Amino acid sequence: MPTLDEVRKELDKDELDYPELALALGPAVLPHLKTLVAEDEPRIAPKAAYLAGIISADASHEIVAQAAQSRHDVVRVAAAAAAAKLPTQQAAKVAGQLLGDADAGVRIRAMKAAATIDEPSLAAKVKTMSEQDHDPHVRGLAASTYQRMRQ
């Protein structure tokens, strides 16, 4: 198994092939990913969170949920993207939380994830966003996303 520093170095590249990296590193690397998300470094933590979602093992949802609590919007965006890779119950919990994020970009990415998760409560939240979100752009995207979710 690679060391924490080796994983950090691997994630500190400009372009990553996440599926290939997930296959190469496997679930054994999840403790390192958890550490990297906890370090809250905005260049590495989002990549660690997204990779955890792609690995999709038992502890993946804990790492993605941890990333959803980050003070950095880029980490929360990665958590929203990774949520779509998790099992439905965990995915719905993370996406549902991030649909109410203060940052419009996070809400938009969470909305895209919610559209891929078969959970009625998320559709209801997206509908509410289409009517009440304070950002007109987000409201418009929520309206079209809600229509797709209903189909």
Side-chain angles (χ1 to χ4, degrees):
M1 182 172 105
T3 67
L4 176 62
D5 285 336
E6 289 169 337
V7 173
R8 182 182 286 112
K9 184 177 178 181
E10 195 64 37
L11 292 176
D12 196 21
K13 295 179 179 175
D14 288 334
E15 293 192 29
L16 298 174
D17 183 338
Y18 286 97
E20 182 180 307
L21 193 56
L23 189 59
L25 296 176
V29 78
L30 289 172
H32 291 328
L33 298 180
K34 185 173 185 170
T35 298
L36 293 171
V37 168
E39 288 178 357
D40 204 29
E41 204 295 315
R43 180 164 165 86
I44 302 295
K47 296 174 183 181
Y50 189 70
L51 183 60
I54 291 198
I55 291 174
S56 194
D58 288 342
S60 294
H61 72 278
E62 295 171 9
I63 298 166
V64 175
Q66 178 182 2
Q69 301 292 324
S70 175
R71 63 190 172 105
H72 298 289
D73 57 348
V74 67
V75 180
R76 296 191 314 276
V77 166
K85 309 291 185 190
L86 298 174
T88 301
Q89 185 177 0
Q90 291 92 0
K93 184 176 179 183
V94 172
Q97 171 195 335
L98 293 173
L99 285 171
D101 197 272
D103 183 84
V106 174
R107 292 194 309 278
I108 289 169
R109 191 61 194 97
M111 199 184 328
K112 290 178 181 180
T116 69
I117 301 166
D118 186 23
E119 173 54 51
S121 67
L122 293 178
K125 287 184 179 188
V126 172
K127 181 177 190 276
T128 300
M129 289 173 71
S130 74
E131 299 164 347
Q132 299 176 7
D133 197 277
H134 62 273
D135 184 308
H137 179 67
V138 174
R139 277 196 314 273
L141 286 173
S144 60
T145 300
Y146 179 66
Q147 291 303 321
R148 284 193 311 276
M149 292 173 85
R150 290 183 41 202
Q151 294 175 354

